[in-house]
Amino acid sequence: MTTHVEPVRTAPQGPLGRLNHGSHRAALNIFMLVVLGHWAEHIAQAYQIWGLGWPVKKSKGLLGYEYPWLVTSEWMHYGYALIMIIGLFLLRPGFVGRARTWWTVALVIQFWHHIEHLLLLLQAQTGHFLFGKAVPTSILQLVFPRVELHLFYNTIVFIPMVIGMYFHLRPSRQELQEMTCSCQAVHRHEVAATA
């Protein structure tokens, strides 16, 4: 009878290493709460527009209903885009295999989404609007209305994130051997129980 010997893993060094080792599961949970909170805002705004028939200018989501200045601030939108790209980037080292591939897809799409928000922020701050428009306008906003465009962006970032999380929480045996984050302890117990 042969016994399986686990490879010796050393804990990653530095703050990024610690984040993606011992704190990965907690950091992912916090990050996903932020992402879901943002989704709630977009869903509320969509419901206000298409469910309640409110004009777009008055449909500001949940926070914007109480604090309208928040939603009209390009700083708030850019800040969230920046939080997303930073979170996707910082948490990426904890992913392996298929999960890392999907997480990277989300990161790449969010990078473009971040560029679009940076363009909007720069226009709002300088008062110089692109494409001869009267308001800050992103590149794809030339083709799609802003509300629909940002629902689309958030959807195409969210879907690969969810797929990445799915594979991260359900790794193959090979991926489980490669994992070094705090999430792997739960998986090792599950795999041992089914072996």
mmCIF file with all atom_site columns, all heavy atoms in Angstrom, residues 30-31 34-35 38 75-91 103 107 110 114:
data_model
loop_
_atom_site.group_PDB
_atom_site.id
_atom_site.type_symbol
_atom_site.label_atom_id
_atom_site.label_alt_id
_atom_site.label_comp_id
_atom_site.label_asym_id
_atom_site.label_entity_id
_atom_site.label_seq_id
_atom_site.pdbx_PDB_ins_code
_atom_site.Cartn_x
_atom_site.Cartn_y
_atom_site.Cartn_z
_atom_site.occupancy
_atom_site.B_iso_or_equiv
_atom_site.pdbx_formal_charge
_atom_site.auth_seq_id
_atom_site.auth_comp_id
_atom_site.auth_asym_id
_atom_site.auth_atom_id
_atom_site.pdbx_PDB_model_num
ATOM 1   N N   . ILE A 1 30  ? -15.131 39.321 1.131   1.00 0.00 ? 30  ILE A N   1
ATOM 2   C CA  . ILE A 1 30  ? -15.334 40.774 1.217   1.00 0.00 ? 30  ILE A CA  1
ATOM 3   C C   . ILE A 1 30  ? -15.464 41.370 -0.179  1.00 0.00 ? 30  ILE A C   1
ATOM 4   O O   . ILE A 1 30  ? -16.357 42.184 -0.445  1.00 0.00 ? 30  ILE A O   1
ATOM 5   C CB  . ILE A 1 30  ? -14.181 41.433 2.008   1.00 0.00 ? 30  ILE A CB  1
ATOM 6   C CG1 . ILE A 1 30  ? -14.257 41.017 3.477   1.00 0.00 ? 30  ILE A CG1 1
ATOM 7   C CG2 . ILE A 1 30  ? -14.208 42.955 1.868   1.00 0.00 ? 30  ILE A CG2 1
ATOM 8   C CD1 . ILE A 1 30  ? -13.013 41.334 4.284   1.00 0.00 ? 30  ILE A CD1 1
ATOM 9   N N   . PHE A 1 31  ? -14.586 40.960 -1.082  1.00 0.00 ? 31  PHE A N   1
ATOM 10  C CA  . PHE A 1 31  ? -14.621 41.467 -2.452  1.00 0.00 ? 31  PHE A CA  1
ATOM 11  C C   . PHE A 1 31  ? -15.957 41.136 -3.115  1.00 0.00 ? 31  PHE A C   1
ATOM 12  O O   . PHE A 1 31  ? -16.557 41.985 -3.773  1.00 0.00 ? 31  PHE A O   1
ATOM 13  C CB  . PHE A 1 31  ? -13.448 40.877 -3.241  1.00 0.00 ? 31  PHE A CB  1
ATOM 14  C CG  . PHE A 1 31  ? -13.329 41.422 -4.636  1.00 0.00 ? 31  PHE A CG  1
ATOM 15  C CD1 . PHE A 1 31  ? -13.112 42.774 -4.866  1.00 0.00 ? 31  PHE A CD1 1
ATOM 16  C CD2 . PHE A 1 31  ? -13.405 40.577 -5.738  1.00 0.00 ? 31  PHE A CD2 1
ATOM 17  C CE1 . PHE A 1 31  ? -12.984 43.272 -6.153  1.00 0.00 ? 31  PHE A CE1 1
ATOM 18  C CE2 . PHE A 1 31  ? -13.281 41.061 -7.012  1.00 0.00 ? 31  PHE A CE2 1
ATOM 19  C CZ  . PHE A 1 31  ? -13.067 42.414 -7.232  1.00 0.00 ? 31  PHE A CZ  1
ATOM 20  N N   . VAL A 1 34  ? -18.718 43.447 -1.995  1.00 0.00 ? 34  VAL A N   1
ATOM 21  C CA  . VAL A 1 34  ? -18.637 44.736 -2.692  1.00 0.00 ? 34  VAL A CA  1
ATOM 22  C C   . VAL A 1 34  ? -19.223 44.607 -4.096  1.00 0.00 ? 34  VAL A C   1
ATOM 23  O O   . VAL A 1 34  ? -20.022 45.443 -4.533  1.00 0.00 ? 34  VAL A O   1
ATOM 24  C CB  . VAL A 1 34  ? -17.172 45.236 -2.744  1.00 0.00 ? 34  VAL A CB  1
ATOM 25  C CG1 . VAL A 1 34  ? -17.031 46.446 -3.658  1.00 0.00 ? 34  VAL A CG1 1
ATOM 26  C CG2 . VAL A 1 34  ? -16.665 45.548 -1.345  1.00 0.00 ? 34  VAL A CG2 1
ATOM 27  N N   . VAL A 1 35  ? -18.849 43.546 -4.794  1.00 0.00 ? 35  VAL A N   1
ATOM 28  C CA  . VAL A 1 35  ? -19.340 43.315 -6.157  1.00 0.00 ? 35  VAL A CA  1
ATOM 29  C C   . VAL A 1 35  ? -20.863 43.162 -6.154  1.00 0.00 ? 35  VAL A C   1
ATOM 30  O O   . VAL A 1 35  ? -21.566 43.762 -6.980  1.00 0.00 ? 35  VAL A O   1
ATOM 31  C CB  . VAL A 1 35  ? -18.668 42.066 -6.777  1.00 0.00 ? 35  VAL A CB  1
ATOM 32  C CG1 . VAL A 1 35  ? -19.337 41.661 -8.078  1.00 0.00 ? 35  VAL A CG1 1
ATOM 33  C CG2 . VAL A 1 35  ? -17.186 42.326 -6.993  1.00 0.00 ? 35  VAL A CG2 1
ATOM 34  N N   . HIS A 1 38  ? -22.648 46.446 -5.572  1.00 0.00 ? 38  HIS A N   1
ATOM 35  C CA  . HIS A 1 38  ? -22.653 47.236 -6.807  1.00 0.00 ? 38  HIS A CA  1
ATOM 36  C C   . HIS A 1 38  ? -23.725 46.726 -7.769  1.00 0.00 ? 38  HIS A C   1
ATOM 37  O O   . HIS A 1 38  ? -24.439 47.498 -8.390  1.00 0.00 ? 38  HIS A O   1
ATOM 38  C CB  . HIS A 1 38  ? -21.271 47.182 -7.451  1.00 0.00 ? 38  HIS A CB  1
ATOM 39  C CG  . HIS A 1 38  ? -21.150 48.048 -8.647  1.00 0.00 ? 38  HIS A CG  1
ATOM 40  N ND1 . HIS A 1 38  ? -20.930 47.541 -9.888  1.00 0.00 ? 38  HIS A ND1 1
ATOM 41  C CD2 . HIS A 1 38  ? -21.214 49.400 -8.789  1.00 0.00 ? 38  HIS A CD2 1
ATOM 42  C CE1 . HIS A 1 38  ? -20.871 48.531 -10.758 1.00 0.00 ? 38  HIS A CE1 1
ATOM 43  N NE2 . HIS A 1 38  ? -21.042 49.671 -10.123 1.00 0.00 ? 38  HIS A NE2 1
ATOM 44  N N   . TRP A 1 75  ? -16.360 60.557 -9.925  1.00 0.00 ? 75  TRP A N   1
ATOM 45  C CA  . TRP A 1 75  ? -15.403 60.019 -8.959  1.00 0.00 ? 75  TRP A CA  1
ATOM 46  C C   . TRP A 1 75  ? -15.908 58.717 -8.352  1.00 0.00 ? 75  TRP A C   1
ATOM 47  O O   . TRP A 1 75  ? -15.142 57.776 -8.150  1.00 0.00 ? 75  TRP A O   1
ATOM 48  C CB  . TRP A 1 75  ? -15.119 61.037 -7.849  1.00 0.00 ? 75  TRP A CB  1
ATOM 49  C CG  . TRP A 1 75  ? -14.107 62.054 -8.245  1.00 0.00 ? 75  TRP A CG  1
ATOM 50  C CD1 . TRP A 1 75  ? -14.338 63.367 -8.530  1.00 0.00 ? 75  TRP A CD1 1
ATOM 51  C CD2 . TRP A 1 75  ? -12.709 61.848 -8.413  1.00 0.00 ? 75  TRP A CD2 1
ATOM 52  N NE1 . TRP A 1 75  ? -13.166 63.988 -8.866  1.00 0.00 ? 75  TRP A NE1 1
ATOM 53  C CE2 . TRP A 1 75  ? -12.136 63.081 -8.799  1.00 0.00 ? 75  TRP A CE2 1
ATOM 54  C CE3 . TRP A 1 75  ? -11.864 60.748 -8.277  1.00 0.00 ? 75  TRP A CE3 1
ATOM 55  C CZ2 . TRP A 1 75  ? -10.777 63.244 -9.047  1.00 0.00 ? 75  TRP A CZ2 1
ATOM 56  C CZ3 . TRP A 1 75  ? -10.509 60.912 -8.523  1.00 0.00 ? 75  TRP A CZ3 1
ATOM 57  C CH2 . TRP A 1 75  ? -9.984  62.144 -8.902  1.00 0.00 ? 75  TRP A CH2 1
ATOM 58  N N   . MET A 1 76  ? -17.203 58.662 -8.037  1.00 0.00 ? 76  MET A N   1
ATOM 59  C CA  . MET A 1 76  ? -17.756 57.442 -7.434  1.00 0.00 ? 76  MET A CA  1
ATOM 60  C C   . MET A 1 76  ? -17.673 56.282 -8.431  1.00 0.00 ? 76  MET A C   1
ATOM 61  O O   . MET A 1 76  ? -17.251 55.185 -8.079  1.00 0.00 ? 76  MET A O   1
ATOM 62  C CB  . MET A 1 76  ? -19.203 57.656 -6.996  1.00 0.00 ? 76  MET A CB  1
ATOM 63  C CG  . MET A 1 76  ? -19.688 56.559 -6.092  1.00 0.00 ? 76  MET A CG  1
ATOM 64  S SD  . MET A 1 76  ? -21.084 55.512 -6.554  1.00 0.00 ? 76  MET A SD  1
ATOM 65  C CE  . MET A 1 76  ? -21.813 56.105 -7.992  1.00 0.00 ? 76  MET A CE  1
ATOM 66  N N   . HIS A 1 77  ? -18.049 56.532 -9.678  1.00 0.00 ? 77  HIS A N   1
ATOM 67  C CA  . HIS A 1 77  ? -18.016 55.470 -10.689 1.00 0.00 ? 77  HIS A CA  1
ATOM 68  C C   . HIS A 1 77  ? -16.583 55.015 -10.965 1.00 0.00 ? 77  HIS A C   1
ATOM 69  O O   . HIS A 1 77  ? -16.305 53.820 -11.062 1.00 0.00 ? 77  HIS A O   1
ATOM 70  C CB  . HIS A 1 77  ? -18.675 55.958 -11.986 1.00 0.00 ? 77  HIS A CB  1
ATOM 71  C CG  . HIS A 1 77  ? -20.130 56.234 -11.832 1.00 0.00 ? 77  HIS A CG  1
ATOM 72  N ND1 . HIS A 1 77  ? -21.066 55.233 -11.722 1.00 0.00 ? 77  HIS A ND1 1
ATOM 73  C CD2 . HIS A 1 77  ? -20.808 57.400 -11.760 1.00 0.00 ? 77  HIS A CD2 1
ATOM 74  C CE1 . HIS A 1 77  ? -22.266 55.770 -11.584 1.00 0.00 ? 77  HIS A CE1 1
ATOM 75  N NE2 . HIS A 1 77  ? -22.136 57.091 -11.598 1.00 0.00 ? 77  HIS A NE2 1
ATOM 76  N N   . TYR A 1 78  ? -15.670 55.989 -11.070 1.00 0.00 ? 78  TYR A N   1
ATOM 77  C CA  . TYR A 1 78  ? -14.277 55.642 -11.306 1.00 0.00 ? 78  TYR A CA  1
ATOM 78  C C   . TYR A 1 78  ? -13.704 54.899 -10.096 1.00 0.00 ? 78  TYR A C   1
ATOM 79  O O   . TYR A 1 78  ? -12.964 53.925 -10.248 1.00 0.00 ? 78  TYR A O   1
ATOM 80  C CB  . TYR A 1 78  ? -13.428 56.885 -11.598 1.00 0.00 ? 78  TYR A CB  1
ATOM 81  C CG  . TYR A 1 78  ? -11.984 56.527 -11.785 1.00 0.00 ? 78  TYR A CG  1
ATOM 82  C CD1 . TYR A 1 78  ? -11.560 55.883 -12.940 1.00 0.00 ? 78  TYR A CD1 1
ATOM 83  C CD2 . TYR A 1 78  ? -11.048 56.775 -10.777 1.00 0.00 ? 78  TYR A CD2 1
ATOM 84  C CE1 . TYR A 1 78  ? -10.238 55.513 -13.094 1.00 0.00 ? 78  TYR A CE1 1
ATOM 85  C CE2 . TYR A 1 78  ? -9.726  56.411 -10.936 1.00 0.00 ? 78  TYR A CE2 1
ATOM 86  C CZ  . TYR A 1 78  ? -9.323  55.773 -12.097 1.00 0.00 ? 78  TYR A CZ  1
ATOM 87  O OH  . TYR A 1 78  ? -8.021  55.397 -12.249 1.00 0.00 ? 78  TYR A OH  1
ATOM 88  N N   . GLY A 1 79  ? -14.052 55.354 -8.905  1.00 0.00 ? 79  GLY A N   1
ATOM 89  C CA  . GLY A 1 79  ? -13.573 54.701 -7.686  1.00 0.00 ? 79  GLY A CA  1
ATOM 90  C C   . GLY A 1 79  ? -13.968 53.236 -7.642  1.00 0.00 ? 79  GLY A C   1
ATOM 91  O O   . GLY A 1 79  ? -13.151 52.371 -7.298  1.00 0.00 ? 79  GLY A O   1
ATOM 92  N N   . TYR A 1 80  ? -15.206 52.937 -8.024  1.00 0.00 ? 80  TYR A N   1
ATOM 93  C CA  . TYR A 1 80  ? -15.633 51.543 -8.016  1.00 0.00 ? 80  TYR A CA  1
ATOM 94  C C   . TYR A 1 80  ? -14.877 50.747 -9.083  1.00 0.00 ? 80  TYR A C   1
ATOM 95  O O   . TYR A 1 80  ? -14.428 49.626 -8.823  1.00 0.00 ? 80  TYR A O   1
ATOM 96  C CB  . TYR A 1 80  ? -17.145 51.400 -8.236  1.00 0.00 ? 80  TYR A CB  1
ATOM 97  C CG  . TYR A 1 80  ? -17.523 49.954 -8.264  1.00 0.00 ? 80  TYR A CG  1
ATOM 98  C CD1 . TYR A 1 80  ? -17.579 49.216 -7.090  1.00 0.00 ? 80  TYR A CD1 1
ATOM 99  C CD2 . TYR A 1 80  ? -17.744 49.292 -9.467  1.00 0.00 ? 80  TYR A CD2 1
ATOM 100 C CE1 . TYR A 1 80  ? -17.860 47.861 -7.115  1.00 0.00 ? 80  TYR A CE1 1
ATOM 101 C CE2 . TYR A 1 80  ? -18.021 47.944 -9.499  1.00 0.00 ? 80  TYR A CE2 1
ATOM 102 C CZ  . TYR A 1 80  ? -18.084 47.236 -8.320  1.00 0.00 ? 80  TYR A CZ  1
ATOM 103 O OH  . TYR A 1 80  ? -18.346 45.893 -8.348  1.00 0.00 ? 80  TYR A OH  1
ATOM 104 N N   . ALA A 1 81  ? -14.709 51.333 -10.278 1.00 0.00 ? 81  ALA A N   1
ATOM 105 C CA  . ALA A 1 81  ? -13.959 50.644 -11.339 1.00 0.00 ? 81  ALA A CA  1
ATOM 106 C C   . ALA A 1 81  ? -12.533 50.357 -10.878 1.00 0.00 ? 81  ALA A C   1
ATOM 107 O O   . ALA A 1 81  ? -11.977 49.290 -11.162 1.00 0.00 ? 81  ALA A O   1
ATOM 108 C CB  . ALA A 1 81  ? -13.961 51.479 -12.619 1.00 0.00 ? 81  ALA A CB  1
ATOM 109 N N   . LEU A 1 82  ? -11.945 51.295 -10.139 1.00 0.00 ? 82  LEU A N   1
ATOM 110 C CA  . LEU A 1 82  ? -10.588 51.132 -9.621  1.00 0.00 ? 82  LEU A CA  1
ATOM 111 C C   . LEU A 1 82  ? -10.546 50.043 -8.539  1.00 0.00 ? 82  LEU A C   1
ATOM 112 O O   . LEU A 1 82  ? -9.648  49.194 -8.538  1.00 0.00 ? 82  LEU A O   1
ATOM 113 C CB  . LEU A 1 82  ? -10.088 52.462 -9.060  1.00 0.00 ? 82  LEU A CB  1
ATOM 114 C CG  . LEU A 1 82  ? -8.614  52.567 -8.726  1.00 0.00 ? 82  LEU A CG  1
ATOM 115 C CD1 . LEU A 1 82  ? -7.758  52.309 -9.960  1.00 0.00 ? 82  LEU A CD1 1
ATOM 116 C CD2 . LEU A 1 82  ? -8.314  53.947 -8.148  1.00 0.00 ? 82  LEU A CD2 1
ATOM 117 N N   . ILE A 1 83  ? -11.525 50.040 -7.643  1.00 0.00 ? 83  ILE A N   1
ATOM 118 C CA  . ILE A 1 83  ? -11.606 48.990 -6.616  1.00 0.00 ? 83  ILE A CA  1
ATOM 119 C C   . ILE A 1 83  ? -11.714 47.616 -7.279  1.00 0.00 ? 83  ILE A C   1
ATOM 120 O O   . ILE A 1 83  ? -11.064 46.660 -6.857  1.00 0.00 ? 83  ILE A O   1
ATOM 121 C CB  . ILE A 1 83  ? -12.795 49.232 -5.659  1.00 0.00 ? 83  ILE A CB  1
ATOM 122 C CG1 . ILE A 1 83  ? -12.484 50.410 -4.735  1.00 0.00 ? 83  ILE A CG1 1
ATOM 123 C CG2 . ILE A 1 83  ? -13.131 47.978 -4.849  1.00 0.00 ? 83  ILE A CG2 1
ATOM 124 C CD1 . ILE A 1 83  ? -13.672 50.913 -3.943  1.00 0.00 ? 83  ILE A CD1 1
ATOM 125 N N   . MET A 1 84  ? -12.515 47.534 -8.328  1.00 0.00 ? 84  MET A N   1
ATOM 126 C CA  . MET A 1 84  ? -12.686 46.257 -9.037  1.00 0.00 ? 84  MET A CA  1
ATOM 127 C C   . MET A 1 84  ? -11.367 45.777 -9.640  1.00 0.00 ? 84  MET A C   1
ATOM 128 O O   . MET A 1 84  ? -10.995 44.616 -9.481  1.00 0.00 ? 84  MET A O   1
ATOM 129 C CB  . MET A 1 84  ? -13.735 46.396 -10.146 1.00 0.00 ? 84  MET A CB  1
ATOM 130 C CG  . MET A 1 84  ? -15.151 46.348 -9.659  1.00 0.00 ? 84  MET A CG  1
ATOM 131 S SD  . MET A 1 84  ? -15.599 44.741 -8.980  1.00 0.00 ? 84  MET A SD  1
ATOM 132 C CE  . MET A 1 84  ? -15.504 43.702 -10.428 1.00 0.00 ? 84  MET A CE  1
ATOM 133 N N   . ILE A 1 85  ? -10.684 46.659 -10.350 1.00 0.00 ? 85  ILE A N   1
ATOM 134 C CA  . ILE A 1 85  ? -9.451  46.216 -11.013 1.00 0.00 ? 85  ILE A CA  1
ATOM 135 C C   . ILE A 1 85  ? -8.380  45.871 -9.975  1.00 0.00 ? 85  ILE A C   1
ATOM 136 O O   . ILE A 1 85  ? -7.642  44.898 -10.137 1.00 0.00 ? 85  ILE A O   1
ATOM 137 C CB  . ILE A 1 85  ? -8.959  47.234 -12.068 1.00 0.00 ? 85  ILE A CB  1
ATOM 138 C CG1 . ILE A 1 85  ? -7.999  46.537 -13.021 1.00 0.00 ? 85  ILE A CG1 1
ATOM 139 C CG2 . ILE A 1 85  ? -8.324  48.439 -11.455 1.00 0.00 ? 85  ILE A CG2 1
ATOM 140 C CD1 . ILE A 1 85  ? -7.829  47.219 -14.337 1.00 0.00 ? 85  ILE A CD1 1
ATOM 141 N N   . ILE A 1 86  ? -8.314  46.639 -8.899  1.00 0.00 ? 86  ILE A N   1
ATOM 142 C CA  . ILE A 1 86  ? -7.340  46.341 -7.843  1.00 0.00 ? 86  ILE A CA  1
ATOM 143 C C   . ILE A 1 86  ? -7.675  45.005 -7.183  1.00 0.00 ? 86  ILE A C   1
ATOM 144 O O   . ILE A 1 86  ? -6.794  44.163 -6.978  1.00 0.00 ? 86  ILE A O   1
ATOM 145 C CB  . ILE A 1 86  ? -7.279  47.488 -6.810  1.00 0.00 ? 86  ILE A CB  1
ATOM 146 C CG1 . ILE A 1 86  ? -6.616  48.721 -7.439  1.00 0.00 ? 86  ILE A CG1 1
ATOM 147 C CG2 . ILE A 1 86  ? -6.541  47.055 -5.544  1.00 0.00 ? 86  ILE A CG2 1
ATOM 148 C CD1 . ILE A 1 86  ? -6.723  49.980 -6.595  1.00 0.00 ? 86  ILE A CD1 1
ATOM 149 N N   . GLY A 1 87  ? -8.947  44.794 -6.866  1.00 0.00 ? 87  GLY A N   1
ATOM 150 C CA  . GLY A 1 87  ? -9.355  43.529 -6.242  1.00 0.00 ? 87  GLY A CA  1
ATOM 151 C C   . GLY A 1 87  ? -9.083  42.335 -7.136  1.00 0.00 ? 87  GLY A C   1
ATOM 152 O O   . GLY A 1 87  ? -8.537  41.313 -6.681  1.00 0.00 ? 87  GLY A O   1
ATOM 153 N N   . LEU A 1 88  ? -9.440  42.447 -8.409  1.00 0.00 ? 88  LEU A N   1
ATOM 154 C CA  . LEU A 1 88  ? -9.192  41.344 -9.343  1.00 0.00 ? 88  LEU A CA  1
ATOM 155 C C   . LEU A 1 88  ? -7.693  41.058 -9.472  1.00 0.00 ? 88  LEU A C   1
ATOM 156 O O   . LEU A 1 88  ? -7.272  39.910 -9.511  1.00 0.00 ? 88  LEU A O   1
ATOM 157 C CB  . LEU A 1 88  ? -9.791  41.666 -10.718 1.00 0.00 ? 88  LEU A CB  1
ATOM 158 C CG  . LEU A 1 88  ? -11.316 41.599 -10.808 1.00 0.00 ? 88  LEU A CG  1
ATOM 159 C CD1 . LEU A 1 88  ? -11.820 42.299 -12.063 1.00 0.00 ? 88  LEU A CD1 1
ATOM 160 C CD2 . LEU A 1 88  ? -11.798 40.158 -10.765 1.00 0.00 ? 88  LEU A CD2 1
ATOM 161 N N   . PHE A 1 89  ? -6.897  42.119 -9.507  1.00 0.00 ? 89  PHE A N   1
ATOM 162 C CA  . PHE A 1 89  ? -5.447  41.962 -9.645  1.00 0.00 ? 89  PHE A CA  1
ATOM 163 C C   . PHE A 1 89  ? -4.825  41.369 -8.381  1.00 0.00 ? 89  PHE A C   1
ATOM 164 O O   . PHE A 1 89  ? -4.033  40.420 -8.449  1.00 0.00 ? 89  PHE A O   1
ATOM 165 C CB  . PHE A 1 89  ? -4.804  43.318 -9.976  1.00 0.00 ? 89  PHE A CB  1
ATOM 166 C CG  . PHE A 1 89  ? -3.322  43.262 -10.078 1.00 0.00 ? 89  PHE A CG  1
ATOM 167 C CD1 . PHE A 1 89  ? -2.703  42.733 -11.201 1.00 0.00 ? 89  PHE A CD1 1
ATOM 168 C CD2 . PHE A 1 89  ? -2.518  43.719 -9.036  1.00 0.00 ? 89  PHE A CD2 1
ATOM 169 C CE1 . PHE A 1 89  ? -1.322  42.670 -11.299 1.00 0.00 ? 89  PHE A CE1 1
ATOM 170 C CE2 . PHE A 1 89  ? -1.136  43.661 -9.123  1.00 0.00 ? 89  PHE A CE2 1
ATOM 171 C CZ  . PHE A 1 89  ? -0.538  43.133 -10.259 1.00 0.00 ? 89  PHE A CZ  1
ATOM 172 N N   . LEU A 1 90  ? -5.171  41.926 -7.219  1.00 0.00 ? 90  LEU A N   1
ATOM 173 C CA  . LEU A 1 90  ? -4.551  41.474 -5.968  1.00 0.00 ? 90  LEU A CA  1
ATOM 174 C C   . LEU A 1 90  ? -4.937  40.044 -5.593  1.00 0.00 ? 90  LEU A C   1
ATOM 175 O O   . LEU A 1 90  ? -4.129  39.314 -5.005  1.00 0.00 ? 90  LEU A O   1
ATOM 176 C CB  . LEU A 1 90  ? -4.909  42.415 -4.818  1.00 0.00 ? 90  LEU A CB  1
ATOM 177 C CG  . LEU A 1 90  ? -4.302  43.809 -4.872  1.00 0.00 ? 90  LEU A CG  1
ATOM 178 C CD1 . LEU A 1 90  ? -4.772  44.632 -3.675  1.00 0.00 ? 90  LEU A CD1 1
ATOM 179 C CD2 . LEU A 1 90  ? -2.781  43.760 -4.932  1.00 0.00 ? 90  LEU A CD2 1
ATOM 180 N N   . LEU A 1 91  ? -6.154  39.632 -5.918  1.00 0.00 ? 91  LEU A N   1
ATOM 181 C CA  . LEU A 1 91  ? -6.606  38.293 -5.543  1.00 0.00 ? 91  LEU A CA  1
ATOM 182 C C   . LEU A 1 91  ? -6.241  37.220 -6.566  1.00 0.00 ? 91  LEU A C   1
ATOM 183 O O   . LEU A 1 91  ? -6.350  36.030 -6.284  1.00 0.00 ? 91  LEU A O   1
ATOM 184 C CB  . LEU A 1 91  ? -8.129  38.302 -5.315  1.00 0.00 ? 91  LEU A CB  1
ATOM 185 C CG  . LEU A 1 91  ? -8.577  39.127 -4.110  1.00 0.00 ? 91  LEU A CG  1
ATOM 186 C CD1 . LEU A 1 91  ? -10.078 39.320 -4.131  1.00 0.00 ? 91  LEU A CD1 1
ATOM 187 C CD2 . LEU A 1 91  ? -8.125  38.476 -2.821  1.00 0.00 ? 91  LEU A CD2 1
ATOM 188 N N   . TRP A 1 103 ? -10.652 34.108 -14.000 1.00 0.00 ? 103 TRP A N   1
ATOM 189 C CA  . TRP A 1 103 ? -10.418 35.318 -13.208 1.00 0.00 ? 103 TRP A CA  1
ATOM 190 C C   . TRP A 1 103 ? -9.636  36.341 -14.047 1.00 0.00 ? 103 TRP A C   1
ATOM 191 O O   . TRP A 1 103 ? -9.898  37.534 -14.002 1.00 0.00 ? 103 TRP A O   1
ATOM 192 C CB  . TRP A 1 103 ? -9.668  34.963 -11.931 1.00 0.00 ? 103 TRP A CB  1
ATOM 193 C CG  . TRP A 1 103 ? -9.731  36.017 -10.875 1.00 0.00 ? 103 TRP A CG  1
ATOM 194 C CD1 . TRP A 1 103 ? -8.757  36.935 -10.594 1.00 0.00 ? 103 TRP A CD1 1
ATOM 195 C CD2 . TRP A 1 103 ? -10.796 36.274 -9.957  1.00 0.00 ? 103 TRP A CD2 1
ATOM 196 N NE1 . TRP A 1 103 ? -9.156  37.739 -9.548  1.00 0.00 ? 103 TRP A NE1 1
ATOM 197 C CE2 . TRP A 1 103 ? -10.406 37.350 -9.139  1.00 0.00 ? 103 TRP A CE2 1
ATOM 198 C CE3 . TRP A 1 103 ? -12.039 35.691 -9.744  1.00 0.00 ? 103 TRP A CE3 1
ATOM 199 C CZ2 . TRP A 1 103 ? -11.216 37.860 -8.125  1.00 0.00 ? 103 TRP A CZ2 1
ATOM 200 C CZ3 . TRP A 1 103 ? -12.840 36.189 -8.732  1.00 0.00 ? 103 TRP A CZ3 1
ATOM 201 C CH2 . TRP A 1 103 ? -12.439 37.264 -7.943  1.00 0.00 ? 103 TRP A CH2 1
ATOM 202 N N   . LEU A 1 107 ? -10.439 40.165 -15.243 1.00 0.00 ? 107 LEU A N   1
ATOM 203 C CA  . LEU A 1 107 ? -9.472  41.247 -15.032 1.00 0.00 ? 107 LEU A CA  1
ATOM 204 C C   . LEU A 1 107 ? -9.235  42.036 -16.327 1.00 0.00 ? 107 LEU A C   1
ATOM 205 O O   . LEU A 1 107 ? -9.221  43.267 -16.318 1.00 0.00 ? 107 LEU A O   1
ATOM 206 C CB  . LEU A 1 107 ? -8.151  40.679 -14.502 1.00 0.00 ? 107 LEU A CB  1
ATOM 207 C CG  . LEU A 1 107 ? -6.987  41.654 -14.347 1.00 0.00 ? 107 LEU A CG  1
ATOM 208 C CD1 . LEU A 1 107 ? -7.307  42.748 -13.338 1.00 0.00 ? 107 LEU A CD1 1
ATOM 209 C CD2 . LEU A 1 107 ? -5.734  40.905 -13.938 1.00 0.00 ? 107 LEU A CD2 1
ATOM 210 N N   . GLN A 1 110 ? -12.313 44.075 -17.120 1.00 0.00 ? 110 GLN A N   1
ATOM 211 C CA  . GLN A 1 110 ? -12.409 45.180 -16.161 1.00 0.00 ? 110 GLN A CA  1
ATOM 212 C C   . GLN A 1 110 ? -11.355 46.244 -16.450 1.00 0.00 ? 110 GLN A C   1
ATOM 213 O O   . GLN A 1 110 ? -11.609 47.431 -16.226 1.00 0.00 ? 110 GLN A O   1
ATOM 214 C CB  . GLN A 1 110 ? -12.282 44.688 -14.721 1.00 0.00 ? 110 GLN A CB  1
ATOM 215 C CG  . GLN A 1 110 ? -12.413 45.783 -13.680 1.00 0.00 ? 110 GLN A CG  1
ATOM 216 C CD  . GLN A 1 110 ? -13.744 46.518 -13.727 1.00 0.00 ? 110 GLN A CD  1
ATOM 217 O OE1 . GLN A 1 110 ? -14.770 45.958 -14.109 1.00 0.00 ? 110 GLN A OE1 1
ATOM 218 N NE2 . GLN A 1 110 ? -13.745 47.785 -13.369 1.00 0.00 ? 110 GLN A NE2 1
ATOM 219 N N   . HIS A 1 114 ? -12.362 49.997 -16.794 1.00 0.00 ? 114 HIS A N   1
ATOM 220 C CA  . HIS A 1 114 ? -11.665 51.021 -16.014 1.00 0.00 ? 114 HIS A CA  1
ATOM 221 C C   . HIS A 1 114 ? -11.193 52.161 -16.924 1.00 0.00 ? 114 HIS A C   1
ATOM 222 O O   . HIS A 1 114 ? -11.315 53.338 -16.572 1.00 0.00 ? 114 HIS A O   1
ATOM 223 C CB  . HIS A 1 114 ? -10.484 50.374 -15.286 1.00 0.00 ? 114 HIS A CB  1
ATOM 224 C CG  . HIS A 1 114 ? -9.476  51.335 -14.783 1.00 0.00 ? 114 HIS A CG  1
ATOM 225 N ND1 . HIS A 1 114 ? -8.324  51.614 -15.487 1.00 0.00 ? 114 HIS A ND1 1
ATOM 226 C CD2 . HIS A 1 114 ? -9.433  52.095 -13.675 1.00 0.00 ? 114 HIS A CD2 1
ATOM 227 C CE1 . HIS A 1 114 ? -7.622  52.519 -14.824 1.00 0.00 ? 114 HIS A CE1 1
ATOM 228 N NE2 . HIS A 1 114 ? -8.268  52.820 -13.726 1.00 0.00 ? 114 HIS A NE2 1
#
